[in-house]
Amino acid sequence: MIVSLPSIARVPLIARLLNGRATSEDGSIVVEGARKATGGKGRTRIVMTMAVFFGIYSTITGRLVYLGFQNPDLSGGPQSRVTASRPDIVDRNGEVLATDIKTASLFAEPRRIVDADEAIEKLATVLPEIDYEQTYHKLKSGAGFVWLQRQLTPKQQSDIMQLGIPGFGFRTEKRRFYPAGETSSYIVGLTNIDNQGISGMEKYIDEQGLSDLQASGLAVAKDLKPVRLSIDLRVQHIVRDEVAAGMEKYRAIAAGAVVLNVKTGEVMAMASVPDFDPNNPYNAQDKDRLNRMSAGLYEMGSTLKSFTTAMALDSGKVTLESRFDASRPIRIGRQTIHDFHGKARVLSVPEVFIYSSNIGSAKEAEAVGIEGHREFLHRLGILEKMQTELPEVARPTEPKIWKQVHSITIAFGHGVSTTPLQTAVGCAALVNGGYLIQPTFLRRAQEQAMSVAKKVVSDKTSESMRYLYALNAEKGSGRNARVPGFRVGGKTGTAEKVVNGRYSKDKNFNAFVAAFPMDDPQYIVLTIADEPKPEKPGMGATAASNAGAMAANIIRRSASMLGVKPDFSHENGATLVSYQ
């Protein structure tokens, strides 16, 4: 029997059906069959749907567990630091010394390589230096990603693309470019294939936090400000040019020089040859590629007499009027101390200095005493490890226990080893009013320098040393360093090198330390020549003839760039000088 209900009654009925019960409007008809008819089919659909979802999630969970126990695939590409940016390095005037450039690197996907032998043969037509066996193993490894050649030239990239080898591709990386080349190589330093600093100021920058920024992916080019160095690229070029020419002219095994601002401690220029081209550093690790100015240790010879005389004067036990008997050699144990050009008479302190008397210097040290001598050299930083930004800094050496013989030989430059840069810094303290200022390769104002300066000798001692430096250039061994129009002072140093435990008569390490202008010194120039030969037959190979000449050339060419104006108003053309 079919029961027809008014349409108005269907809605409440459907609602009641959903609750599992149905009655007529008057409540007399109860519909139970509808619930029974539909309930079984609904449960079946729900169970089937739950089963499908359970199966899907079980599959996903099982896959995740499986992958969790697998070794991670590390061949998916380079780490982010490979292409991380580095800040530009510029000189004090903003000239670029190091910058990032984009370059292409070649990679392969071994799983897509069809014929490894054919791929290598084609690649060798563009990259003949490629290692066949190593490359073959890479292409047959089955890895998802392998590097084949980093930092290609644009032409190499174009030629490889034209080969059309399936499974080869390119990724853009950043490479360091050094516009100045070898001119500033030891100062600026190097990065490795992953653009990480490994030497020089490049390494210093990483140590200041750049490597952490790169690792975190925060080294974004637009956020990295240029690092401004203290060096002047114009002066740097002159210094490098002169030491390279000097090394060739005097047939030395090495040469070097530094220009130091005595008021601020800024290194204005520093070069050492042999050097290397940072854009192609194939020979950077050769044993003769050493920054001899900061990482080389040498007995500095008579340049250390500057400190001996200053020590004697600063002790108060010696004055410029004091006299020392240099008429006879000094014998101590089995050693005999002679003068190279002995006067065989009593010498005043200025004469001891300008004649570079070993005997007179030894007696100056005797007047101070062993402990006072050692303390003074440490006070001047000569025997301490130098504190500066450049990572390549050597630690000086000295006798563990100082005896009388040590003090005597150290007085004229034998028995301790230090770096040429430290020697220049110590000499700067002798002429700048007595303030020891640690050197810096970053720009620094005079006010900043004085806030970290240490008073090491008196004003009177500093004044006396300026007088002695100027006197030595006029009447002593520093005459070859004079430059017309500038008042240059300085001190030579010719030291016999130790060969097989003995001092050699044929191999010298020569140095010359110059200061200018002597009225109020602004700069120190220290030059070195390692094992120079006589320029001509019959000539000597002392510091005056090579290191002194190199210093004069550097001052002549760079003084105006350093802001020093020549003054020819005096009769000899080299007495007074003004500066900007």
Side-chain angles (χ1 to χ4, degrees), residues 28 82 128 186 272 301 331 365 395 453 465 494 566:
S28 60
V82 171
Y186 284 121
S272 174
R331 290 181 175 83
R395 183 181 294 276
M465 292 308 300
T494 303

Side-chain angles (χ1 to χ4, degrees), residues 121-129 155-157 159-160 163:
E121 288 177 3
K122 288 183 177 181
L123 184 61
T125 62
V126 180
L127 303 175
E129 73 280 5
K155 185 178 187 307
Q156 287 174 328
Q157 181 187 13
D159 291 344
I160 293 172
L163 296 175

Side-chain angles (χ1 to χ4, degrees), residues 232 234-235 238 557-564:
D232 186 320
R234 302 168 301 172
V235 181
I238 290 170
R557 295 176 60 184
S558 66
S560 60
M561 296 176 185
L562 293 168
V564 180

